[in-house]
Amino acid sequence: MRKPCDYTPVWLMRQAGRYLQEYNDTRMKAGSFIKLAQSPDLACEVTLQPVERFGLDAAILFSDILTVPDAMGLGLSFVAGEGPKFERPIRDEEAVKQLHVPDPNNELKYVIDAVSAIRKALSNRIPLIGFSGSPFTLACYMVEGGASKDFRTIKTMMYSRPDLLHRILDVNAESVAAYLNAQIRAGVQAIQIFDTWGGVLADQAYKIFSLAYMRKVIDLLDLGKGEDRVPVIVFTKGGTPWLEAISHCGADAIGVDWTCNLAKARRLVQDGVALQGNLDPMVLFGSEKTIREECRRVLDDFGMVNSGGHVFNLGHGINQFTPVESVGILVEEVHSYSRKYH
């Protein structure tokens, strides 16, 4: 963690995805996204595809954040053009009572097997990142029944029956911790908690219903100590207002979206944690000149010669329509230009 290196390392959220033809070919071979995610061999195959193509500095497990609520028996499906749907959303007291913590070595064994397969295939060339959705983000899908534009259902529960939402979040925190601990035992070398929807909350609500439960997850993780500690990254999309608070949750690094200048982020966290980010994914639709200039701007914003603690990434996941050659330009520019800071 925060060790010296020759250049700023880079990996990209959603780096194995639909913008790659080889991914689409493998997904077609699998038959569906769910079948792809549930096949350890194919999940390993698509995890390695962007690593082999671009020379990235980390691989991230190919899976989905909704594997955990699916393992709770909510009936996950993916509808073309609509995204994920749950057949049995959690909306009343009886449904909340039925929630249980799934056994990651049983209901989620296919993910753990994928971790083992990927580690073997990587042969320690680069680290493997494991992940989960945050308790609140998972709750959004579980209560809404899928994606949402206004989060009316979960916010209604939050303000009218906060006891029910706290119960869901407690179960989710225990489930996420068990799931991540199983990934760690299987060999992942870093963890990212994706808090995709925490940023839709009001200031105090974020601290109570999102950040507090990510802190609970981190407290339950078996991360090891010293040089063997598995670092934890927390990424809240829209999380700029809470960067200082996030820096005290026990995470080793904070993912930053594109709305925050990294120099400002460093001042807020006072170098207490590493930072990850934060190029706007839409920059990759620009010209080569623009892509290189924007990569340099992010690196210059973080700045400081011989400073560690920055992992270059996008401010969110790669868009499925991203030109493949743009990703190659990004990786090459980060690796070459950042050397002056190391």
Side-chain angles (χ1 to χ4, degrees):
M1 289 176 289
R2 307 184 76 166
K3 295 178 181 178
C5 49
D6 295 333
Y7 51 78
T8 299
V10 53
W11 70 276
L12 306 173
M13 288 184 280
R14 210 180 291 145
Q15 64 189 28
R18 289 176 287 178
Y19 74 105
L20 289 174
Q21 184 58 49
E22 54 264 47
Y23 168 87
N24 292 318
D25 293 343
T26 305
R27 178 169 170 165
M28 184 174 294
K29 179 169 62 176
S32 70
F33 173 81
I34 290 180
K35 289 179 180 178
L36 174 57
Q38 291 180 344
S39 167
D41 289 341
L42 294 182
C44 175
E45 183 178 313
V46 295
T47 297
L48 297 179
Q49 287 168 350
V51 172
E52 302 296 347
R53 181 184 273 263
F54 301 117
L56 293 155
D57 298 301
I60 182 165
L61 165 70
F62 178 80
S63 188
D64 191 85
I65 63 170
L66 299 182
T67 53
V68 172
D70 182 42
M72 295 176 179
L74 274 60
L76 176 65
S77 63
F78 286 85
V79 181
E82 297 182 31
K85 296 284 185 182
F86 282 113
E87 183 182 344
R88 294 173 289 278
I90 307 298
R91 293 179 178 169
D92 57 38
E93 197 156 344
E94 186 58 34
V96 173
K97 285 181 181 178
Q98 297 300 317
L99 283 176
H100 71 285
V101 176
D103 180 355
N105 295 305
N106 185 8
E107 292 102 324
L108 293 164
K109 186 176 185 298
Y110 63 91
V111 178
I112 307 310
D113 289 345
V115 171
S116 300
I118 297 163
R119 275 301 309 271
K120 183 177 180 181
L122 285 172
S123 300
N124 287 322
R125 285 179 291 154
I126 55 173
L128 173 62
I129 302 169
F131 73 91
S132 175
S134 72
F136 178 76
T137 290
L138 298 183
C140 286
Y141 288 101
M142 293 161 68
V143 175
E144 296 286 343
S148 176
K149 292 182 178 180
D150 60 7
F151 300 91
R152 177 175 57 85
T153 309
I154 191 167
K155 286 191 174 185
T156 297
M157 179 183 287
M158 182 176 72
Y159 290 119
S160 64
R161 288 295 305 273
D163 58 313
L164 293 186
L165 183 53
H166 279 299
R167 168 62 181 160
I168 295 171
L169 293 169
D170 271 323
V171 174
N172 284 358
E174 292 178 19
S175 300
V176 167
Y179 181 47
L180 292 177
N181 277 329
Q183 291 184 34
I184 291 169
R185 289 192 294 271
V188 300
Q189 294 144 293
I191 289 293
Q192 175 151 313
I193 299 174
F194 283 91
D195 186 35
T196 309
W197 300 124
V200 307
L201 292 169
D203 178 64
Q204 190 65 8
Y206 172 79
K207 295 172 183 175
I208 294 171
F209 293 98
S210 185
L211 185 58
Y213 286 95
M214 288 192 286
R215 183 181 292 114
K216 179 175 180 178
V217 169
I218 295 170
D219 287 344
L220 292 171
L221 293 179
D222 299 322
L223 298 171
K225 296 180 180 180
E227 292 293 311
D228 295 325
R229 177 182 164 87
V230 174
V232 178
I233 310 159
V234 166
F235 172 67
T236 295
K237 184 185 177 186
T240 298
W242 304 287
L243 286 178
E244 185 176 4
I246 296 170
S247 72
H248 299 296
C249 76
D252 303 279
I254 301 175
V256 183
D257 70 20
W258 64 88
T259 63
C260 183
N261 175 281
L262 285 185
K264 176 184 177 182
R266 288 191 73 168
R267 290 194 296 271
L268 288 171
V269 305
Q270 299 182 346
D271 286 337
V273 293
L275 293 175
Q276 177 179 280
N278 66 336
L279 187 74
D280 182 348
M282 294 300 109
V283 166
L284 296 174
F285 291 91
S287 66
E288 176 176 348
K289 180 174 181 290
T290 297
I291 294 168
R292 292 187 184 277
E293 287 175 348
E294 291 298 312
C295 287
R296 292 181 178 192
R297 181 190 55 75
V298 170
L299 292 164
D300 289 340
D301 284 346
F302 187 85
M304 292 183 64
V305 175
N306 296 321
S307 66
H310 181 212
V311 175
F312 195 99
N313 209 314
L314 302 178
H316 200 241
I318 294 178
N319 184 280
Q320 64 173 304
F321 301 108
T322 299
V324 172
E325 58 272 18
S326 295
V327 179
I329 293 167
L330 179 154
V331 175
E332 190 278 327
E333 186 63 30
V334 171
H335 282 169
S336 59
Y337 183 78
S338 66
R339 290 178 183 274
K340 72 177 191 176
Y341 287 119
H342 295 270

